[in-house]
Amino acid sequence: MKKDTTNLSVGGYLFYTEKDAQIARAEVQKIEYLEERIDYSAPDTIRYIYEKAIHERIFKTPVGLGYLKQLRDFLLSQPGMEPSGIMDIPLYIAYDGELRERTEPARSRIAPSKKKDTEKMRFTISAFLNGLLILAVICMFYISYRSEQPNIVNYERALTDKYASWEQELTQREQMIREKEKELKIGE
């Protein structure tokens, strides 16, 4: 049984999966959108778009990469543009017979032993920072508990103390009033 490839063909390329073909169709739409709005009389703008598309990995399929190549060729044809001043188009697919996608360019890949060391260092830093955060939270609770101002930690104690002092003050005033009444012989 032969596979139907009509839905897998985009821009002269026959893709392996429908998902890849959909990505390529989306890239065609992006290219059409850019072409409607792009001003080829401003090479600096073209260069900005070109570099932004590379940094944000807007184009991943051969369709989009072909468009980036067109933009690069246009920039190289401009007077004063040096090939060394224009970014190369990074490829994120290995072409050694195995299909696998890299998540980063080859020049920034890390050796496995260094990768383990980096992961261990990240874990150590993460554990240290978590310890500091826990210590900070404990300190905040301690400060809140010892504070004279009512807060969520010590509100009951603060309110009890406040009402107790009012009650004591009222009792003292009441005692003074009774003493004055006795002196004046009121209420007998």
Side-chain angles (χ1 to χ4, degrees):
M1 185 170 164
K2 194 171 182 179
K3 188 176 182 180
D4 181 24
T5 59
T6 55
N7 288 337
L8 301 178
S9 178
V10 179
Y13 294 97
L14 184 61
F15 289 91
Y16 188 69
T17 66
E18 178 63 32
K19 184 177 180 182
D20 290 341
Q22 287 174 348
I23 293 170
R25 284 187 207 99
E27 288 184 3
V28 167
Q29 290 176 343
K30 291 174 189 175
I31 292 167
E32 290 170 354
Y33 177 84
L34 285 173
E35 283 298 310
E36 289 173 4
R37 287 161 179 76
I38 208 163
D39 179 14
Y40 281 97
S41 65
D44 289 334
T45 305
I46 304 294
R47 185 176 185 164
Y48 175 78
I49 292 169
Y50 172 77
E51 290 177 355
K52 187 167 178 84
I54 290 174
H55 286 298
E56 294 185 10
R57 292 184 62 184
I58 292 173
F59 299 113
K60 298 173 185 152
T61 69
V63 174
L65 296 176
Y67 180 67
L68 285 177
K69 176 76 169 115
Q70 287 176 356
L71 292 180
R72 187 173 198 282
D73 291 343
F74 171 80
L75 289 171
L76 289 172
S77 71
Q78 298 303 303
M81 289 284 187
E82 294 291 324
S84 61
I86 299 173
M87 292 177 63
D88 289 332
I89 301 168
L91 300 177
Y92 297 100
I93 302 279
Y95 292 98
D96 59 359
E98 293 182 39
L99 289 177
R100 65 182 181 270
E101 185 172 342
R102 287 195 313 239
T103 56
E104 55 200 38
R107 63 181 167 269
S108 66
R109 293 190 92 158
I110 300 171
S113 64
K114 289 184 180 180
K115 189 174 184 181
K116 285 182 182 178
D117 291 342
T118 303
E119 288 176 5
K120 188 175 181 180
M121 180 64 90
R122 283 184 180 170
F123 177 77
T124 304
I125 291 171
S126 175
F128 177 73
L129 290 176
N130 285 335
L132 280 178
L133 289 174
I134 290 170
L135 184 64
V137 168
I138 291 170
C139 288
M140 287 190 302
F141 274 108
Y142 178 77
I143 291 169
S144 294
Y145 181 75
R146 299 291 293 174
S147 173
E148 295 298 321
Q149 299 294 324
N151 57 48
I152 196 163
V153 176
N154 67 355
Y155 75 92
E156 184 178 4
R157 180 178 50 116
L159 289 176
T160 305
D161 290 349
K162 188 175 189 178
Y163 288 125
S165 68
W166 285 354
E167 184 178 352
Q168 185 179 10
E169 188 179 316
L170 285 174
T171 306
Q172 288 174 353
R173 284 187 181 180
E174 191 176 299
Q175 184 65 32
M176 286 175 40
I177 291 173
R178 286 188 185 149
E179 288 175 7
K180 287 289 182 182
E181 286 177 348
K182 283 183 182 180
E183 283 178 22
L184 299 174
K185 296 183 183 177
I186 301 176
E188 287 183 7

